[in-house]
C-alpha cells in the first residue's frame, strides 16, 4: 500500500479487525441453525433498519451512482424516489404475510400454493440474482481500491472476500446485522466527508456546482413524455417500484430480516427506517457526482490521467502513445464514470481522511456481500438441500451445511466479480442482470397472493410466457438487423415491469377461463 500513509493503513486495519471481532463475538452466542438464520427474533427494530439501509447502500451506490451522475444526469435518482411507495406496500402486505407464514425461507410458501416447481424456480432466480449482485459489488470495491493500493483487482476481491466469509460464517445473521449497523454509520460518514471535500475544492463553492449543473442539464430527472423506449422518468420510476417490490417481497435478504424482529410492528418500523435513510443519502451520492463534474469542468487538466487510463484500457497493450492520447481527448464524461470517485480519492483526499474513505468503501461492499452470502446459504440449505436431499436434517448437520454453502457462495461471488472486469458502467450492468433474474418471481408471487383461483396450470403457463417476454425485451436488441425475430423497441429496464405484469395478467386470464369452463361443464351436467 505504497500510496497510503501509515495512519490510513492503521484505520483500514482497525476497521477490518473490528469486523472480525464481531464475528468471533457472535460465534460464542450462536448454537443453533435458528440463531444462524433468524437470530431467534431478538434484534431491535432500529438495528434491522440500519442493516436493510446498509444492504441498499452497496458499492454499486458508492461508486456507480456518482459515476452515473458525473457521466449523465439524475435520471437514475428516480429509482430512489420509488422506494417510499414500495415500502408502503411492503409494510401493509408483505411483512404481515411473511410474519404470519413463519418460515425463514421467502419461497417455501410458493410450493404450497403452486407446487415444487414454483419454489425451485424462485430459488434459482434468487441465487442467480445474488451472484450477480455480489459479483458487481466485488468488482466495485476492487475498482476503487486498485487505484489506491496498486494491487490487482482479483487479489483485492480475494482478500476482501476472505474477511467477509470469516465473520459471516462465524456469527451468522446476527453478526451480519450488527456489522452492518457499524458499516451503515461508516459509509454515511464517508459520503459526507467526500462531498464536503469536493465542494471545498471548487472555486465558487456550491453556487458554482448549481450553475454548471443547470447549464449542462445535470439535474435532469429524465423526460416526462409517456415514452417507454428511452430511459424516461416514468421508465425508471416503474422499474424502481417493481425492483423494490421484488426486494421487499421476494428477496431473501430482506424477508429474512423480518423474522429477526420481535414483532410485525418492529419489522415494519425497520422497513420505514431504511427507506427514509436511503432516499436522502442517495441524493447525496448523486450530488457528489454532479459536484465532481463541476470540479473537473473548472479544472479540466486534473482529469487527464483518468482519460489516459480509460483510453489505454480500451485500446489494449499494443496501442501507441499517440493513439492513446488521441482517444483520451475524444472520450466523453459517460466513458469516465466509474473511475471518477477512485481518482478523486487518490489525488485530493488527505492522509487520515483517506483511511476513513477506504473503510467506507469497504463497508459499502462488505455489508451487501455478507448479507447475500447468509441469505443464499439459508435458501440453499432449506429450499434445496433439505427439500430434495435430506428431509430429516439434524440441527447440527443443518448448521454444517449453512457453513459450507456460505463459503461456496462467497467464492462464487468473487468469481463473478472477476469476470466483470472491464464493464463500462457498474450501475447499468447490475440493473440489467437483476432485471433479468428477478422479473418473473414477483409476478408469480403476486399471482399467488392476490388471485385465490389461480392454479398450477395457469401459474406455470403464465411464468413460461413471462420469461420469454423478459428474454425478448432484454436480448432482442443484441440480434442482427436481419434477424427473423422482431427487435423490442422498449428500454431494457421495462423487462422486469412487462415480465411481472405478463405473468400476473396471463395467470388471471387463464384461471378465469378455467373457472368459466368448469362452471359451464357443471351447468351442462346439471341440465342433463
Amino acid at each position: 500500500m505504497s500510496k497510503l500513509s501509515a495512519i490510513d493503513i492503521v484505520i483500514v486495519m482497525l476497521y477490518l479487525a473490528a469486523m472480525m471481532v464481531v464475528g468471533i463475538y457472535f460465534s460464542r452466542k450462536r448454537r443453533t441453525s435458528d440463531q444462524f438464520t433468524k437470530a431467534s427474533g431478538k434484534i431491535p427494530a432500529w438495528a434491522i433498519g440500519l442493516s436493510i439501509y446498509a444492504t441498499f447502500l452497496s458499492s454499486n451506490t458508492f461508486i456507480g451512482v456518482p459515476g452515473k451522475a458525473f457521466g449523465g444526469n439524475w435520471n437514475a435518482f428516480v429509482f430512489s424516489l420509488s422506494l417510499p411507495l414500495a415500502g408502503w406496500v411492503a409494510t401493509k402486505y408483505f411483512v404481515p404475510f411473511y410474519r404470519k407464514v413463519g418460515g425463514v425461507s421467502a419461497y417455501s410458501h410458493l410450493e404450497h400454493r403452486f407446487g415444487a416447481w414454483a419454489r425451485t424456480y424462485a430459488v434459482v432466480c434468487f441465487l442467480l440474482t445474488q451472484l450477480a449482485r455480489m459479483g458487481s459489488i466485488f468488482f466495485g470495491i476492487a475498482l476503487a481500491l486498485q487505484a489506491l493500493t496498486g494491487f490487482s483487482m482479483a487479489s483485492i476481491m480475494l482478500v476482501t472476500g476472505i474477511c467477509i466469509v470469516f465473520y459471516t460464517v462465524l456469527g451468522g445473521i446476527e453478526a451480519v446485522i450488527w456489522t452492518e449497523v457499524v458499516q451503515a454509520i461508516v459509509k454515511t460518514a464517508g459520503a459526507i466527508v467526500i462531498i464536503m471535500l469536493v465542494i471545498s475544492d471548487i472555486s465558487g463553492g456550491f453556487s458554482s456546482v448549481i450553475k454548471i449543473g443547470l447549464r449542462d442539464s445535470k439535474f435532469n430527472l429524465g423526460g416526462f413524455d409517456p415514452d417507454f423506449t428511452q430511459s424516461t422518468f416514468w421508465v425508471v420510476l416503474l422499474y424502481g417500484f417493481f425492483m423494490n417490490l421484488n426486494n421487499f417481497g421476494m428477496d431473501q435478504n430482506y424477508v429474512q430480516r423480518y423474522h429477526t424482529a420481535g414483532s410485525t410492528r418492529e419489522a415494519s418500523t425497520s422497513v420505514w427506517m431504511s427507506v427514509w435513510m436511503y432516499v436522502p443519502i442517495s441524493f447525496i451520492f448523486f450530488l457528489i457526482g454532479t459536484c465532481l463534474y463541476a470540479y473537473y469542468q473548472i479544472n479540466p487538466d486534473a482529469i487527464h490521467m483518468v482519460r489516459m487510463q480509460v483510453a489505454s484500457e480500451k485500446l489494449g497493450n499494443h496501442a501507441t502513445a499517440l493513439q492513446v492520447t488521441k482517444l483520451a481527448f475524444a472520450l466523453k464524461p459517460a466513458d469516465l464514470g466509474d473511475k471518477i470517485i477512485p481518482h478523486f480519492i487518490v489525488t485530493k483526499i488527505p492522509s487520515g481522511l483517506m483511511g476513513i474513505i477506504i473503510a467506507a468503501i469497504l463497508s459499502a461492499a462488505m455489508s451487501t456481500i455478507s448479507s447475500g452470502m447468509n441469505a443464499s446459504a439459508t435458501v440453499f440449505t432449506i429450499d434445496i438441500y433439505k427439500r430434495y436431499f435430506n428431509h430429516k436434517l439434524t440441527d447440527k448437520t443443518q448448521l454444517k451445511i449453512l457453513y459450507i454453502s456460505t463459503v461456496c457462495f462467497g467464492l462464487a461471488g468473487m468469481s463473478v466479480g472477476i469476470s466483470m472486469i472491464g464493464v463500462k458502467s457498474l450501475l447499468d450492468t447490475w440493473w440489467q442482470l437483476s432485471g433479468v433474474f428477478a422479473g418473473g418471481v414477483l409476478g408469480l408471487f403476486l399471482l399467488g397472493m392476490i388471485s385465490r383461483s389461480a392454479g398450477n396450470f395457469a401459474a406455470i403457463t403464465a411464468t413460461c410466457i413471462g420469461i420469454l417476454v423478459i428474454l425478448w425485451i432484454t436480448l432482442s436488441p443484441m440480434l442482427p438487423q436481419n434477424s427473423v425475430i422482431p427487435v423490442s423497441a422498449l428500454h431494457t429496464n421495462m423487462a422486469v415491469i412487462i415480465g411481472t405484469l405478463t405473468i400476473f395478467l396471463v395467470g388471471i386470464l387463464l384461471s378465469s377461463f378455467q373457472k368459466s369452463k368448469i362452471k359451464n361443464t357443471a351447468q351442462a351436467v346439471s341440465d342433463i
Side-chain angles (χ1 to χ4, degrees), residues 198 201-203 212 291-304 343 348:
V198 177
D201 220 15
I202 294 175
S203 176
I212 294 172
C291 288
L292 287 171
Y293 176 83
Y295 172 79
Y296 288 115
Q297 285 289 303
I298 296 171
N299 306 281
D301 292 339
I303 204 173
H304 178 67
H343 178 260
K348 291 297 177 181

Side-chain angles (χ1 to χ4, degrees), residues 319-461:
T320 65
L322 181 61
Q323 289 174 321
V324 172
T325 303
K326 186 177 180 180
L327 177 60
F329 282 101
L331 291 173
K332 298 178 180 179
D335 298 315
L336 313 177
D338 290 341
K339 305 287 186 181
I340 291 303
I341 281 285
H343 178 260
F344 184 81
I345 292 171
V346 170
T347 57
K348 291 297 177 181
I349 294 183
S351 297
L353 285 178
M354 186 180 287
I356 295 174
I357 299 301
I358 294 174
I361 296 172
L362 281 168
S363 66
M366 295 172 77
S367 58
T368 309
I369 293 173
S370 63
S371 175
M373 287 181 186
N374 184 272
S376 298
T378 300
V379 165
F380 174 81
T381 303
I382 294 174
D383 294 299
I384 296 180
Y385 192 87
K386 192 173 183 179
R387 170 65 178 79
Y388 291 104
F389 298 101
N390 190 345
H391 296 281
K392 300 179 180 179
L393 275 180
T394 63
D395 193 73
K396 184 178 180 180
T397 304
Q398 185 166 318
L399 203 53
K400 183 179 179 181
I401 299 300
L402 286 166
Y403 291 156
I404 295 172
S405 53
T406 299
V407 175
C408 290
F409 281 110
L411 294 174
M414 282 184 258
S415 300
V416 174
I418 292 171
S419 70
M420 285 184 175
I421 294 175
V423 300
K424 181 179 179 181
S425 172
L426 183 61
L427 195 62
D428 285 342
T429 301
W430 162 239
W431 277 16
Q432 186 168 8
L433 289 173
S434 61
V436 171
F437 295 141
V441 182
L442 179 60
L444 183 61
F445 174 75
L446 293 176
L447 178 63
M449 190 176 186
I450 296 173
S451 174
R452 300 297 179 185
S453 61
N456 185 50
F457 172 78
I460 196 169
T461 304

Side-chain angles (χ1 to χ4, degrees), residues 72-110:
N73 52 34
W74 283 36
N75 178 232
F77 179 63
V78 181
F79 183 97
S80 301
L81 297 180
S82 71
L83 199 56
L85 181 57
W88 178 81
V89 175
T91 54
K92 187 171 179 62
Y93 299 105
F94 296 157
V95 174
F97 173 79
Y98 283 112
R99 293 286 302 190
K100 183 179 180 181
V101 170
V104 68
S105 169
Y107 313 111
S108 57
H109 71 279
L110 286 174

Side-chain angles (χ1 to χ4, degrees), residues 36-71:
F36 188 93
T37 57
K38 297 195 294 184
S40 302
K42 295 180 179 179
I43 306 294
W46 65 268
I48 301 171
L50 283 172
S51 173
I52 297 175
Y53 159 73
T55 301
F56 271 123
L57 188 57
S58 67
S59 60
N60 290 350
T61 305
F62 218 100
I63 304 298
V65 166
K68 194 74 173 171
F70 176 90

